[in-house]
Amino acid sequence: MQFRTVHRAVIAQFLLAAALVVDSGRLPLNKYIMMDFQVSFFEAWRSCQFYGLQLASVTSTEDNRELSELFNMSNRGNDTFWLAGTDIGREGKWIWITTNKLVVQYSHWGSISPEFHESQNCMAIGSFDNDRTLWDDIPCDEPRKYICQKVS
């Protein structure tokens, strides 16, 4: 019985992702795609790969502007979403898991410094009401929605 539920969820997720990828091509903001299933950080990373995408990285002011506009266009309430940032390998040294590059050229952390939370090793956005694109560090195993991006 549980297999059927999981199987249906996988099919539903696939159909949703396929629809989002197709529809996003018609939008001016087509780099990022919000996924509405709540999963752990590593499940989000693998899910994006499954669809030929990658977990979203925000490496510039322009990337952040696109995310902000995507949030404004969406009806996602107070949802939080995984991004590709993690310091799971070395506390306080944040990398984009999709490229293995350090998060140094652009930073958009919220009011709490991420360097002092040893159990909070994965990056999410949507936690702060004043700016939904501010980064937050949270435990990697918490189920969250996630944002994929097209691979360039």
Side-chain angles (χ1 to χ4, degrees), residues 45 49 54-55 57 59 84 95-103 149 151:
W45 178 41
Q49 289 176 337
Q54 65 185 23
L55 198 55
S57 302
T59 59
I95 65 162
W96 298 113
I97 197 169
T98 52
T99 61
N100 204 31
K101 293 183 180 178
L102 288 172
V103 178
Q149 74 181 57
V151 179

Side-chain angles (χ1 to χ4, degrees), residues 57-69:
S57 302
V58 184
T59 59
S60 68
T61 304
E62 177 63 22
D63 287 349
N64 195 68
R65 184 193 61 74
E66 285 187 40
L67 270 180
S68 181
E69 289 182 22

